Amino acid sequence: MEALVELFVVWTSVLVPLLAMWAIATIYMHKPNHPGIAVESLFLFVLLIVSAATLRTVVVNDGCWLVHSTSLSAMILAGVMRRPLDQSSDSLLIG
């Protein structure tokens, strides 16, 4: 069991950025005409996992804290920059 935990700790430095890139790619490749509740829920779930891993990395003072913090900030920016799927560009114009 200790070997499994140690293996997980070693691989988190690579898993967190890969998981973040996968979630960003998933949310941006989603088609705008289909309901996106599952994709957005998955993105939020991955965002929570990346947040927890980043918090753990910072608290433990692990060497990959910068990579995890960058992955978390990229996910936050990607989530903010993504327009809601049910809005078109015409509905955003006033007048």
Side-chain angles (χ1 to χ4, degrees):
M1 185 66 178
E2 291 178 15
L4 183 65
V5 171
E6 186 177 323
L7 183 68
F8 180 72
V9 169
V10 170
W11 278 96
T12 55
S13 61
V14 176
L15 276 175
V16 169
L18 289 177
L19 192 62
M21 286 188 297
W22 174 77
I24 291 169
T26 302
I27 201 167
Y28 272 91
M29 289 182 359
H30 184 70
K31 294 181 176 65
N33 296 336
H34 295 72
I37 220 70
V39 174
E40 290 172 356
S41 298
L42 181 68
F43 183 79
L44 181 64
F45 181 69
V46 172
L47 182 65
L48 291 174
I49 289 174
V50 170
S51 299
T54 302
L55 183 64
R56 179 217 157 266
T57 305
V58 171
V59 167
V60 175
N61 198 15
D62 199 359
C64 59
W65 67 269
L66 186 60
V67 175
H68 287 192
S69 299
T70 305
S71 300
L72 179 62
S73 62
M75 282 190 74
I76 292 171
L77 282 176
V80 168
M81 300 295 285
R82 177 76 172 153
R83 267 195 359 230
L85 298 174
D86 57 346
Q87 288 184 354
S88 65
S89 59
D90 295 335
S91 66
L92 295 175
L93 298 176
I94 299 174

